[in-house]
Amino acid sequence: MSRSTAAAAADGGAESRTSRTPATAPVSGRGAGHPDPAGDPILAAKFCLPSVPRESVRRQRLLDRLTEGTAGPLTLITGPAGAGKTTLAASWAREGSAPGPVVWLTAERDDAAPGVFWAYVLEALSHHGAGLPDEVGRPGSADSVDHALLARLAAALAQLRRPVVLVLDGLDRVPGREVAEGLDFVLTHAGGQLRLVLISRVDPLLPLHRYRADGRIREIRGADLAFTRQEAARLLRGHGLGRYEESVDALLARTEGWAAGLRLCALEMRRADDPAGFARSFAASQSPLADYLLTEVFAAQPAATQDLLLRGSILDRVHPDLANALTGREDAEWILAQLTRAHVFVEPVDATPWCRYQPLFSEVLRMHLRHHRPGLEPRLRRRAAVWLADAGRLAEAVEQAAAAGDWEWACARMVNRLEIGRLLTGPEAHRLERLFARLPGDLAGAAPALVAAACALARYDTAGARTLLDRAAEDLREPGARPSPQARLALALLRLLAGTGAQDGDGAGRAARTAARRTRELAGQVPRPLVEAHPEIEALRRYGLACALQLDGRSDEAPGAFAYAAEGCTGEVAQAVRHHCLGRLALMEARRGALRRAEEHARLALEIARHRSVPPARRSGIGHLALAAVALERCELREARRRLDLAAASPDAGYDPVADAEIAVTRSRLDLAHGRRHAALAAVEAGHARAGPLPPWPAQLLALARAAAQLARGDPASAIAVLDGRGPDGPDRTLALAQAHLAAGDPDRSLGLLAPLDGRPDAGVAERVRLRLLRARAATLSQDHETACGLLRDALALARPERMRGPFTEAGPWVAHLLKRRPDLAAGQAWLAARPEGANGTSRADGRPPAPVTVERLTDREREVLRHGAELLSTEEIAEAMYLSVNTVKTHLRSIYRKLTVSRRGDAVRRARELHLL
């Protein structure tokens, strides 16, 4: 397609000059045959409205803005070539909504002389019947215009009965400041009777800031001219492509709504055998778009600008300093400023020095670069990679190196500049991992193996990471190899994060401590400024040690290690590590019964993930699991279920053994809370089946959950079998084993197991509460109710600050029976029944959640008394309404207070409403 054909094809974006129609017939005796001040004849074609393509889309939103604009003195339409500026103005002129006659003038480069320009303006006004008197005169010189002539013109315009709209198309072709100053003078002194519409690729030299401050300008910019999805769909329908409207999104993604691009694509689709396929995969280099952009835009630029455009096209975004590095020049800032001002498909990025190319324009330029400068592109990309990496834009640097095929440089950079941790944490981590996923597997050397191992860890593939780390270690031990401290540090850190694979308890913990010490020693051998520039290395080291301690079942050490790791996460790049640390810390705190701290840390972990540049693919579900554990301990089962579902949908679900074990355990506990005992056991079995061989801590979690499910089924022997000899001999296992023996009818064995736990200084709230409940249960079985009440009172006092209801509801009905027998013990324990959600697994006929087992059911008569009390009736009024004696009503009220563990009528009403009894 030729240049003129492409220009004519663009939907108002090409400003075609080949076919024009006059807006009105000339009414003045001054014909177009008069010469201009330079002696050339006046060309009447410049006064004709451009034709509008038959398939043009009527864009009412922009037509309305033009109408609004011409109610004031100045309307400015700017945008790149092919944006649809001329077609928009011509369509509007034909609409007939202008406040007066429309005078059209198409400016050209030959009109740059002030005298010639104003001669054409005066002739255009006369041609379209503006009614100016002959006394206004004409310019006598091509190079200048008499100020008195402009004053006479302004005065004559001010005397018009109706405003006149002067549309100046292509004002960018008349660059002189003298012309702009003259326009400003006439517009200012025409008394509101001149309405100026300027069409230009660049902002004119008018004092636009003053017009904006005074509210006397309306602007339609390139972004406004971009086609919306609805408009693009109408464009396809206008070209007979209504069946292919599903292609609109693909076309908009490539053209960004550029009018000429969409129009040319529609024409090509109409000729294609497979229009939808063309829309999905068309290449700009194979379409008339390339011809249009190269001839209309690229070829119109000076040689230096063309060179910068070509070299910068390898980038999505270009910085002036980067452009200088690519061109070897020092004027990139000025050239880019000119390009953005002229709307040459280059635009600034968010008020920064960076600029971006329009995607199609960039694609065409790259094609042109490869064709005319073969072999240059890889060299440019390597140069760009170095600049970007030094500027801290690591992912973009790797992207350029990968495009150049220089994987060796990319891997060496990651290792030698200590950037290996950026694959595991930081805003660019996920993008870097996806880039290095294309890393060829046959690259030799330790650096590619180390990078590949970090990528495997990012995908939770610890086994694959260990294999790659073994290969890297062999390369570093090769004869003659002189590995840098950075390479040895990267190997040690990744080994720590990958673990040893040991499942035998102490071995994993000792190995992790050794690896953590080794990593710290190697960090001391790296240049200090390099280490300080990468705080994520120390954060990952601490986190790796904490994770190893957790997996090893070191529940006494791991929480402190996670807290220490979270403190070491400084800087934005380490926030992903902090997110994981706080989530795991919260989960361990929840298991210890520190529910308030657990909730605080879990919510902070989730808040960091949302607002501190942690990519969604790197967000852990551990924080949601911690909140599910807190909700379970508080018998808030709906919240626990909601958090469990969120955790199960998180990216680390199915990969992290701790998360997977906790998901299975939480699901099992929820099933038990709802009385689904077989489902609870099945959930634990499914957790074992998915996980395979497990480290000590997840294995113990699942064993405890399986034992709880067996006990709920009335099979203490199976629970004992599950617990005997399994996992670390810690307090959680001891408590579960003691509970199983107590259920099996062996209180002496149970108490013997509990004896070592008495007075443990580092025992958590959960351990101390459950220990007292087990001893209280043993006391009730031996009919020692005073001891049982004392132990239950202690347990309630410990649990109350954390609102820990779970141990009491899970303990069984004996707690409720004991509280019923001792109202003094139940008094003040209203928190036990707050927000009940079916914790005992029973259901009500009316669908409302049942009261917890610690509250005795009210009789029908007591509920009726309570309803009258809620209506603020006095005791006497209640007695009269129910045909009872006053003393009988008082007896019912005392019973209600005892059952609801309150002492006043108002508290009883509030409590009953919480329990859905009213």
Side-chain angles (χ1 to χ4, degrees), residues 625-667:
L625 276 175
L627 291 175
V630 170
L632 267 175
E633 291 296 339
R634 291 173 175 168
C635 292
E636 297 164 357
L637 304 188
R638 282 189 289 272
E639 173 67 3
R641 172 64 64 183
R642 185 177 77 86
R643 292 292 180 178
L644 175 62
D645 291 342
L646 289 171
S650 297
D652 53 348
Y655 299 98
D656 181 356
V658 171
D660 290 346
E662 289 284 1
I663 287 172
V665 168
T666 305
R667 187 168 285 124

Side-chain angles (χ1 to χ4, degrees), residues 269-511:
M269 285 177 67
R270 198 159 60 181
R271 286 193 285 265
D273 294 333
D274 179 11
F278 171 86
R280 286 193 304 269
S281 60
F282 81 92
S285 60
Q286 299 171 356
S287 73
L289 284 169
D291 180 56
Y292 181 85
L293 288 169
L294 289 173
T295 55
E296 284 285 323
V297 181
F298 179 72
Q301 307 305 318
T305 302
Q306 290 184 13
D307 185 58
L308 185 148
L309 284 170
L310 280 178
R311 291 170 180 261
S313 67
I314 64 168
L315 303 158
D316 293 329
R317 300 191 298 176
V318 63
H319 188 280
D321 293 340
L322 176 53
N324 284 332
L326 295 178
T327 61
R329 300 166 59 92
E330 297 182 356
D331 56 356
E333 184 174 7
W334 183 86
I335 292 176
L336 288 171
Q338 295 301 308
L339 290 170
T340 56
R341 180 176 178 271
H343 302 287
V344 187
F345 295 94
V346 178
E347 59 185 28
V349 177
D350 299 329
T352 69
W354 291 84
C355 298
R356 66 178 288 273
Y357 289 18
Q358 198 270 356
L360 275 176
F361 188 47
S362 181
E363 183 179 341
V364 168
L365 291 177
R366 283 197 299 273
M367 174 272 296
H368 196 69
L369 175 68
R370 291 163 189 162
H371 180 72
H372 292 278
R373 307 287 294 275
L376 178 60
E377 182 180 354
R379 297 198 300 273
L380 290 174
R381 290 191 181 277
R382 292 188 189 99
R383 200 180 302 173
V386 173
W387 190 95
L388 288 165
D390 291 342
R393 309 181 80 89
L394 188 58
E396 294 174 55
V398 172
E399 197 169 45
Q400 291 298 322
D406 198 349
W407 290 106
E408 290 83 357
W409 177 89
C411 294
R413 171 84 192 201
M414 297 295 294
V415 173
N416 294 333
R417 295 297 184 91
L418 213 60
E419 289 165 334
I420 197 79
R422 300 291 170 92
L423 284 161
L424 301 170
T425 182
E428 294 186 312
H430 187 54
R431 183 179 173 188
L432 283 168
E433 188 269 323
R434 285 189 289 112
L435 286 169
F436 278 111
R438 310 200 308 261
L439 183 69
D442 57 354
L443 287 180
L450 289 169
V451 169
C455 291
L457 281 177
R459 298 188 300 269
Y460 303 98
D461 180 10
T462 53
R466 291 179 194 128
T467 300
L468 289 162
L469 291 173
D470 289 342
R471 194 182 90 189
E474 291 177 7
D475 287 333
L476 294 178
R477 288 195 299 265
E478 284 286 330
R482 300 179 62 185
S484 66
Q486 293 94 311
R488 289 183 288 134
L489 172 57
L491 177 63
L493 176 65
L494 294 177
R495 281 204 185 281
L496 171 61
L497 294 169
T500 63
Q503 311 292 324
D504 59 350
D506 288 344
R510 284 197 301 270

Side-chain angles (χ1 to χ4, degrees), residues 12 93 104 155 199 204 236 238 240 300 408 468 486 492 547 551 607 662 700 732 768 862 905:
W104 190 282
I199 303 173
L236 288 187
E408 290 83 357
L468 289 162
Q486 293 94 311
C547 286
L551 286 171
E607 187 74 11
E662 289 284 1
Q700 177 174 288
D732 290 335
R768 288 184 284 163
E862 288 168 345
R905 186 185 300 186

Side-chain angles (χ1 to χ4, degrees), residues 81 157 349 361 373 454 456 562 644 659 698 703 743 745 758 838 867 893 912:
L157 289 169
V349 177
F361 188 47
R373 307 287 294 275
F562 280 121
L644 175 62
D758 286 330
R867 278 196 297 271
L893 285 173

